[in-house]
Amino acid sequence: MPFTLATWNINSVRLREPIVAKLLSEEGPDVLCLQECKSPVEKIPTEGFAALGYTHMIARGQKGYNGVAILSKLPIEDLGDKDFAGLGHARHVAGRLENGTVIHNFYVPAGGDVPDREVNEKFGQKLDYLTDMRDWFRAERPEKAILVGDLNIAPREDDVWSHKQLLKVVSHTPIEVEHFGDVMDAGGWSDVTRADIPEGQLYSWWSYRARDWDAADKGRRLDHIWASADITAAAHSSRILRDARGWAKPSDHAPVFATFDL
């Protein structure tokens, strides 16, 4: 049974309920994974989503910060969450569809502004978070699994608007890209988006600071969809809905889509 999945850092699900509803009604993914919900679970506006057919949700929430949720048309079983790096943050939740597919929804720490853990605690937490992810996937290699989310790293040179200018900017530094690769290798993950769109600049995030984000186009691909090795061949039709970055009261991220024939 094919199903379409989308991932989106929504930057407050309550504030941006209208554009979540717009995405659900216009694009109709079977599963939508949200990050940075910034809401306790009980205050996520589920009634409006359920009216659009998304009657299933698993989530982990925090007041004002972090938070991850999986909205689904399909029944989904809550498989729990992991507290990587011991931060006590709502940054991961996992669920299993009835066909056995496991979905991991992640919101990796952004890492602050200075790429040096000696002077920036947040950067150290980001690296530790990724290391814990690597160790978990190395110990429990994923099968029939999809990993999505705002991983806050743009790994490839063509995942950023200027490789040279961003080499010392958090999200594209060599040490972050190395940790990103280690997580991917540990789990035998494949980058679904780049398997479908192997060439060219590709972004999912544009800063709020850019007055004309579209014309300037100084983006980064921070949002990812991965598949475990056994289902990589089942993934197709990847795309990034760039237009959503220009919707009313937008998130600074755009949704990323993929379809799986499973």
Side-chain angles (χ1 to χ4, degrees):
M1 181 195 71
F3 66 92
T4 297
L5 177 148
T7 180
W8 195 8
N9 178 318
I10 194 56
N11 191 16
S12 177
V13 68
R14 293 157 69 191
L15 182 64
R16 295 190 167 82
E17 180 185 0
I19 62 171
V20 175
K22 178 179 172 69
L23 183 88
L24 296 177
S25 60
E26 293 182 1
E27 301 294 332
D30 296 291
V31 179
L32 174 62
C33 297
L34 298 172
Q35 303 87 38
E36 208 172 352
C37 294
K38 295 182 175 179
S39 173
V41 172
E42 64 273 13
K43 292 189 177 181
I44 294 174
T46 55
E47 287 187 11
F49 304 148
L52 294 169
Y54 295 82
T55 53
H56 305 276
M57 183 186 78
I58 59 174
R60 298 295 183 271
Q62 278 181 257
K63 183 181 178 181
Y65 297 94
N66 308 313
V68 286
I70 303 177
L71 308 178
S72 181
K73 292 179 178 178
L74 310 171
I76 187 165
E77 175 191 0
D78 192 328
L79 294 183
D81 57 83
K82 293 283 188 180
D83 180 21
F84 297 98
L87 298 176
H89 296 173
R91 292 185 176 273
H92 170 254
V93 69
R96 181 164 48 221
L97 300 176
E98 287 186 324
N99 67 3
T101 305
V102 174
I103 299 171
H104 292 282
N105 184 13
F106 275 96
Y107 176 42
V108 170
D113 295 325
V114 182
D116 182 347
R117 69 180 305 149
E118 299 304 318
V119 297
N120 174 17
E121 181 185 25
K122 290 182 178 179
F123 193 70
Q125 290 174 346
K126 181 177 190 176
L127 298 182
D128 291 345
Y129 192 99
L130 292 161
T131 297
D132 280 1
M133 286 176 67
R134 178 203 68 188
D135 291 347
W136 184 40
F137 292 132
R138 189 175 284 167
E140 299 181 33
R141 196 172 180 86
E143 296 179 355
K144 200 172 184 182
I146 301 166
L147 185 155
V148 308
D150 177 4
L151 305 186
N152 264 312
I153 296 171
R156 292 176 28 153
E157 292 188 17
D158 52 4
D159 288 338
V160 294
W161 65 273
S162 173
H163 170 62
K164 185 175 181 180
Q165 289 175 259
L166 293 178
L167 273 172
K168 295 183 179 179
V169 174
V170 173
S171 78
H172 191 61
T173 65
I175 190 170
E176 290 171 273
V177 172
E178 180 183 356
H179 278 62
F180 182 98
D182 288 345
V183 175
M184 182 173 275
D185 291 345
W189 298 106
S190 62
D191 181 342
V192 167
T193 310
R194 278 304 193 180
D196 281 344
I197 312 169
E199 304 296 334
Q201 307 292 121
L202 194 63
Y203 314 136
S204 65
W205 174 89
W206 296 262
S207 175
Y208 284 131
R209 296 174 186 172
R211 186 168 296 176
D212 190 346
W213 68 272
D214 195 25
D217 204 22
K218 293 185 175 181
R220 306 176 203 173
R221 187 171 72 103
L222 303 179
D223 305 272
H224 300 270
I225 299 178
W226 295 354
S228 57
D230 54 340
I231 62 168
T232 295
H236 60 90
S237 303
S238 296
R239 62 192 173 98
I240 297 176
L241 189 64
R242 180 188 175 105
D243 287 354
R245 178 61 179 83
W247 290 352
K249 296 183 179 178
S251 169
D252 47 356
H253 293 254
V256 182
F257 289 77
T259 297
F260 294 82
D261 294 337
L262 291 171

